[in-house]
Amino acid sequence: MDSSKLTKESLAKLFDHTFLKAYATNEDLKTLCDQAKTMNTAMVAVNTAWTAFCKKELAGTGVHVGAAIGFPLGQCGLETKLFECKYAIEQGADEIDYVIDVGQAKMHNWNYIREEMEKMTAICKEKNILIKVIFENCYLEKEEIKKLSEIAKEGKPDFIKTSTGFGTGGATVEDVKLMKETVQDAVQVKAAGGIRDWKTCKAMIDAGATRIGTSSSIQILKEFEEATK
C-alpha cells in the first residue's frame, strides 16, 4: 500500500481502534465506539466480554466489532480458544484476533501451531468472520516469525499480526517486512503495539501493513492532516 495516496478517510479505515485494558468500563467502551463512529474506523478491538455491548453501540454504522481471543498470553489451551471464539461470534463479533500459544512456537511444535490456526480459521470462515493471528514477535526469533508466517500462508487466515501490545515490545518495520515478504498476497499483515504517531504508522503501512491496531487513532489522524496540508 502506498501511504502517499491515503486520505484521512482511507487511513481511518485501516484502524482497529483499541481498548483492551483490564479496567474497562461501560463509559470507556462507549467512548471508544463513539470515537470509532466519528472516525469511521475499520473496527473496535475489545476483550470478548464487551462484544455484545459494542455491537449494540455500533449497530448500523459499518464499524466492525473485533474480539480478542486467548488474550493477551495465548496459553489458555486450544479448546478454550475455540469455545471463546464461538462465544464471541454468537455475541456479534465481526472479526477475531487470537493469540497463538507462543510457548509452543518457542518449542517449535509447529504441528500444534498449525492445528490451532486451522481450527480457529475454520470456525471463522464458516461464519464469514475475519480472523487475525497474533504472533507476539517480541518473544520470537526472526526464523520463528518466518516459520509462523509460512504456516499462515498455507492455512490462509485473513491476517497475521505482530503483537498484542501487552508484551515486552510492539510492532517493528523489520518484522512487518519479514511477515509480508513471507506471506506475499496470500495473507494480510496487521501491525499493532506501540503505534502512537503518524510517522510510525506510515512506516508500518509502507512496510506492508494493511491494518493498524492502535489506541491512538485520533492523534494519528490529527498528525496525518497536519502533515498533508
Side-chain angles (χ1 to χ4, degrees):
M1 180 176 291
D2 185 352
S3 64
S4 67
K5 296 181 180 178
L6 288 168
T7 63
K8 182 182 177 182
E9 292 73 23
S10 61
L11 175 58
K13 270 301 175 188
L14 301 183
F15 290 151
D16 288 354
H17 192 45
T18 304
F19 197 102
L20 291 161
K21 303 297 186 183
Y23 50 78
T25 65
N26 283 33
E27 185 178 351
D28 293 322
L29 273 296
K30 187 177 189 311
T31 297
L32 182 80
C33 291
D34 287 344
Q35 291 171 343
K37 284 187 280 189
T38 299
M39 291 182 285
N40 194 25
T41 62
M43 188 186 88
V44 293
V46 297
N47 284 301
T48 302
W50 292 103
T51 304
F53 178 90
C54 292
K55 188 71 172 183
K56 184 176 180 180
E57 289 293 317
L58 292 167
T61 66
V63 178
H64 282 183
V65 177
I69 306 298
F71 199 86
L73 301 179
Q75 294 206 329
C76 53
L78 178 53
E79 290 304 316
T80 304
K81 285 181 191 174
L82 296 173
F83 177 86
E84 187 181 5
C85 181
K86 292 173 184 175
Y87 174 75
I89 293 170
E90 288 171 2
Q91 293 294 300
D94 305 291
E95 305 188 18
I96 296 292
D97 291 38
Y98 87 88
V99 188
I100 67 162
D101 188 321
V102 185
Q104 296 295 336
K106 295 303 295 180
M107 292 186 290
H108 295 180
N109 190 352
W110 304 123
N111 286 335
Y112 183 97
I113 295 294
R114 187 175 286 106
E115 179 186 10
E116 182 179 65
M117 198 179 300
E118 286 175 352
K119 288 185 174 181
M120 291 291 288
T121 299
I123 289 172
C124 292
K125 295 292 185 183
E126 182 183 355
K127 300 294 186 179
N128 200 30
I129 301 295
L130 282 174
I131 181 163
K132 311 187 196 87
V133 183
I134 308 173
F135 290 0
E136 201 69 294
N137 289 343
C138 58
Y139 302 130
L140 300 169
E141 302 298 328
K142 299 307 178 189
E143 283 303 311
E144 292 166 340
I145 295 171
K146 184 176 181 181
K147 180 63 177 181
L148 288 168
S149 300
E150 288 171 350
I151 292 171
K153 188 176 181 180
E154 297 169 8
K156 291 185 174 57
D158 295 291
F159 286 83
I160 51 176
K161 177 178 168 183
T162 59
S163 325
T164 62
F166 286 72
T168 56
T172 69
V173 169
E174 182 183 8
D175 286 350
V176 171
K177 284 182 177 178
L178 174 59
M179 293 162 76
K180 183 59 180 175
E181 286 169 1
T182 305
V183 297
Q184 298 179 337
D185 293 329
V187 181
Q188 297 184 70
V189 176
K190 174 178 171 179
I195 303 172
R196 301 185 182 94
D197 54 54
W198 166 235
K199 180 181 178 182
T200 306
C201 179
K202 180 180 185 299
M204 298 300 169
I205 294 167
D206 288 337
T210 51
R211 280 285 186 96
I212 302 293
T214 181
S215 57
S216 301
S217 310
I218 295 171
Q219 179 64 25
I220 294 171
L221 284 177
K222 180 181 177 181
E223 292 181 13
F224 171 81
E225 284 190 292
E226 292 172 353
T228 55
K229 281 181 180 176

